[in-house]
Each structure stands twice: as structure tokens, then as C-alpha cells.
Amino acid sequence: MPTDDSFATIDQAGWEDLVARFDGRMWAVARAFGLSAADAADAVQCAWLRLVENAGAIRDPARVGAWLVTTTRHEAARLSRRARGEVVSDLDVPDPAQPDPTAAVVDADLGRQAWRRLDLLGEPCRSLIRLYVLHPEARYAQIAVRLDLPVGSIGPTRARCMSRLRALMEEPD
């Protein structure tokens, strides 16, 4: 992720990091609107496009995750209204640069659900995901030492753990 105040100069690895960190959450937000897989994909893709279009206007790069989730929510709401036959115009889409209080409430609730479900996972999944969430800048070697795992197993283990957490998140309360 870039260290300056603009995403205008982000490199491929930076974009891949953003996608790895936020794409799953964006998909969860879009699907929460009851959209089809195709419409959810459109909402997520639109949010990524909006980031590219507004990269130079992002004031706080540390909050890009919240910005992406809020933008996905707005796009999903627009597509949901369109699917119900409501007339949708560009004026109906709120400015994603403005704070969204409802998004903050939904994000907080989603976060609480995720932490509760994370506690249902066994080790090393629980510790591995906590490390990724609390220390996203940590390298595989650092995580391997901390969890006493081989460096080569961190990626595959993370993928399996995230898959199990996603499945738990899809279960009703």
C-alpha cells in the first residue's frame, strides 16, 4: 500500500494487496442485498472502478477499506432498487467520499459477528486470522515465527482458514 496520501501511484502489488484485504468483504456486502451473483459482481466491480476514478481524491488512505465497503454498499443498493423496478438515477447514488452513518453501524455489526465466528475456529486459524487483521503489514516469515509454522504453509493455511470463516459467516445466527 502506498505511503503517500494518494493512490495515483499505487503499483500492481499494492492493488493485489487491496484486493486480497477487501474483496471478500465487498462481496459479502453486495450479497447481503440479496443480489444475484452477476449483480453482486457488478456492484463490487463498480466499487473498484470508483476507487480508480477517485484515487487522487482519497483523503485518508488508511480508511480505503471503509471507503470501498461503503461504495460497494451504495452500488449494491442501486442495483437492488433497479432489480425491483425502481427508477434509479446517478443522483440516487450518494457521494462515496462522504461518511455514511448507517455503514458505520452495519460495519460494526459485521465486525462483531466476524470476531464471534472467529472464536469458533480452532488453532492455528484463530491466531493466524487475528494476526492478519491486527497486523496486516506482517510478513509470512514473521507470522511463521509467531505461530511456529513453516513459512510455506502460511498461505495455504490462511486460505483454508478464511474459507472456514466465510462458511461460518454465511450461517444464520
Side-chain angles (χ1 to χ4, degrees):
M1 185 165 291
T3 55
D4 63 9
D5 289 343
S6 170
F7 285 94
T9 60
I10 193 166
D11 60 3
Q12 184 64 32
W15 279 111
E16 289 172 5
D17 179 53
L18 284 173
V19 171
R21 290 174 60 201
F22 302 115
D23 198 58
R25 188 166 180 201
M26 293 164 67
W27 269 90
V29 167
R31 290 307 297 256
F33 277 83
L35 298 176
S36 67
D39 283 345
D42 286 347
V44 171
Q45 184 176 11
C46 263
W48 286 115
L49 178 61
R50 299 272 183 265
L51 179 61
V52 171
E53 292 171 344
N54 294 291
I58 302 292
R59 292 184 302 244
D60 186 1
R63 304 261 316 131
V64 72
W67 189 94
L68 283 165
V69 168
T70 299
T71 304
T72 302
R73 186 173 294 107
H74 294 309
E75 294 294 335
R78 185 177 58 79
L79 289 170
S80 178
R81 287 191 308 272
R82 180 181 295 157
R84 290 190 312 262
E86 296 177 24
V87 176
V88 179
S89 74
D90 287 342
L91 298 175
D92 290 337
V93 180
D95 180 1
Q98 298 300 316
D100 181 359
T102 58
V105 171
V106 171
D107 287 349
D109 185 53
L110 183 63
R112 282 189 295 277
Q113 288 177 26
W115 285 113
R116 276 196 313 270
R117 300 249 166 55
L118 179 66
D119 286 338
L120 299 175
L121 293 177
E123 293 297 337
C125 287
R126 186 177 322 138
S127 295
L128 181 63
I129 293 173
R130 282 182 197 272
L131 279 172
Y132 270 103
V133 170
L134 299 174
H135 304 284
E137 73 288 347
R139 304 277 183 212
Y140 277 17
Q142 294 168 312
I143 293 170
V145 168
R146 179 82 178 259
L147 298 180
D148 194 29
L149 294 171
V151 172
S153 73
I154 299 298
T157 302
R158 175 183 167 213
R160 284 190 301 276
C161 294
M162 290 302 293
S163 178
R164 290 201 309 243
L165 182 59
R166 271 189 220 96
L168 286 172
M169 290 296 291
E170 291 176 3
E171 291 179 4
D173 280 334

